[in-house]
């Protein structure tokens, strides 16, 4: 029996439920804006995309742009520069978003976003591009 964390793409029929579940109804618009803003900060070549949603078997969530291309990521805060898949880019972006949201003025939401950050980070450790993801968020 494997303890690996499994990512499952959210089907079209459940897309409307994803953002309120992952970020809460009151914060989903803010979170969506943060995703697009963070993506444009991390990859100069990012100019918008259709984003897929994923749930994790450990209770976590993430978003990733639907794309076959790779993204050149630059993180000013830690000097990371690397070429990653769209999936890894989405994980990096989502981790940065959860990291920003842990500063909200609501203890229950801070705990929720902290839990989601750690659930996604645990998945990132197992990801094929885990080393790059971890270096990007360091």
């Amino acid at each position: 029996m494997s303890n690996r964390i499994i990512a499952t793409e959210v089907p079209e029929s459940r897309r409307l439920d994803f953002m309120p579940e992952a970020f809460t109804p009151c914060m989903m618009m803010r979170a969506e804006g943060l995703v697009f803003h963070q993506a444009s900060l991390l990859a100069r070549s990012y100019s918008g995309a259709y984003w897929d949603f994923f749930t994790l078997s450990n209770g976590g969530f993430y978003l990733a742009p639907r794309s076959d291309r790779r993204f050149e990521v630059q993180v000013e805060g830690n000097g990371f520069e690397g070429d990653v898949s769209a999936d890894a880019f989405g994980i990096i972006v989502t981790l940065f978003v959860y990291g920003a949201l842990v500063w909200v003025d609501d203890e229950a939401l801070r705990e929720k976003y902290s839990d989601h950050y750690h659930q996604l980070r645990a998945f990132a450790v197992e990801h094929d591009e885990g080393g790059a993801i971890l270096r990007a968020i360091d």
Side-chain angles (χ1 to χ4, degrees):
M1 185 169 140
S2 173
N3 289 331
R4 285 189 64 88
I5 301 165
I6 306 299
T8 303
E9 186 174 342
V10 173
E12 288 294 323
S13 63
R14 293 214 358 95
R15 283 182 65 87
L16 291 177
D17 298 328
F18 176 83
M19 292 298 282
E21 189 176 343
F23 297 103
T24 74
C26 68
M27 294 293 288
M28 66 184 205
M29 296 299 286
R30 180 174 177 190
E32 183 178 44
L34 283 170
V35 166
F36 301 140
H37 178 71
Q38 195 63 53
S40 65
L41 288 177
L42 292 170
R44 290 187 188 123
S45 65
Y46 174 78
S47 61
Y50 183 86
W51 288 67
D52 289 316
F53 303 151
F54 297 88
T55 59
L56 300 175
S57 59
N58 68 354
F61 304 91
Y62 75 98
L63 301 81
R66 184 179 292 176
S67 178
D68 292 332
R69 64 181 279 247
R70 296 184 65 79
F71 291 84
E72 184 64 37
V73 174
Q74 295 179 326
V75 182
E76 285 188 29
N78 66 14
F80 174 80
E81 292 185 15
D83 178 63
V84 297
S85 68
D87 192 60
F89 179 61
I91 293 168
I92 293 166
V93 168
T94 307
L95 285 165
F96 270 96
V97 169
Y98 278 128
L101 290 175
V102 298
W103 299 102
V104 298
D105 191 23
D106 181 308
E107 187 174 342
L109 288 179
R110 284 193 304 269
E111 187 172 329
K112 176 184 179 70
Y113 300 141
S114 177
D115 288 347
H116 287 329
Y117 177 92
H118 290 288
Q119 290 162 329
L120 180 53
R121 189 184 181 287
F123 175 70
V125 168
E126 299 176 356
H127 194 275
D128 289 345
E129 296 175 84
I133 294 168
L134 295 176
R135 286 191 306 277
I137 64 166
D138 182 23

